[in-house]
Amino acid sequence: MAWFLIVAAGLFEVAMAYALKLSDGFSAPLPSVAFGVFAVSSFGLLAMALKSLEVGTAYAVWTGIGAVGTAVLGMVALGEDASLLKLVSIGLILCGVVGLNLAGAGH
C-alpha cells in the first residue's frame, strides 16, 4: 500500500508542476488553485507512505516520478525539446530510482 501511495504522490507532483506552469506566475486563478490542491495531495500522500518506508528510498522514488513525469509531460504536452541527452538523462534517473528501490528491498 505504501508504494501505491508513493506512486500516487509522484503523479500528483507531476500535476502540480503542470498546474504551476499553467498558472502563469499565479495570475491564472484555476491553475493556481489546482497547484495548491495537487501540492497538498502530493505531500500528504508522501507523508502517509513515510510511516512505513525508508525516507531516502521513498523520497528518491517520489522525486524521480515527479522529475521524469514532468520532463515527459513537458515534451509531450508543452512541446519542450526532446533531445537525445535529455532522454538519456531521464533514463539515468529511472535507473537510479530502480537501483535505490532494489537496494532497500531487503529492509
Side-chain angles (χ1 to χ4, degrees):
M1 180 65 169
W3 286 112
F4 172 78
L5 295 174
I6 290 292
V7 170
L11 295 175
F12 274 115
E13 186 183 3
V14 173
M16 177 189 73
Y18 188 62
L20 183 61
K21 174 68 173 173
L22 297 180
S23 78
D24 195 29
F26 295 116
S27 64
L30 186 58
S32 297
V33 170
F35 165 81
V37 170
F38 295 143
V40 169
S41 298
S42 181
F43 283 105
L45 291 169
L46 175 63
M48 290 169 49
L50 287 176
K51 290 180 180 180
S52 61
L53 296 175
E54 293 180 352
V55 67
T57 303
Y59 189 79
V61 171
W62 176 67
T63 58
I65 291 169
V68 169
T70 301
V72 170
L73 183 64
M75 288 181 238
V76 172
L78 301 173
E80 295 176 358
D81 181 42
S83 69
L84 178 60
L85 180 57
K86 189 179 279 190
L87 295 173
V88 168
S89 297
I90 288 170
L92 291 171
I93 292 169
L94 288 171
C95 288
V97 167
V98 169
L100 279 171
N101 198 5
L102 291 174
H107 299 124

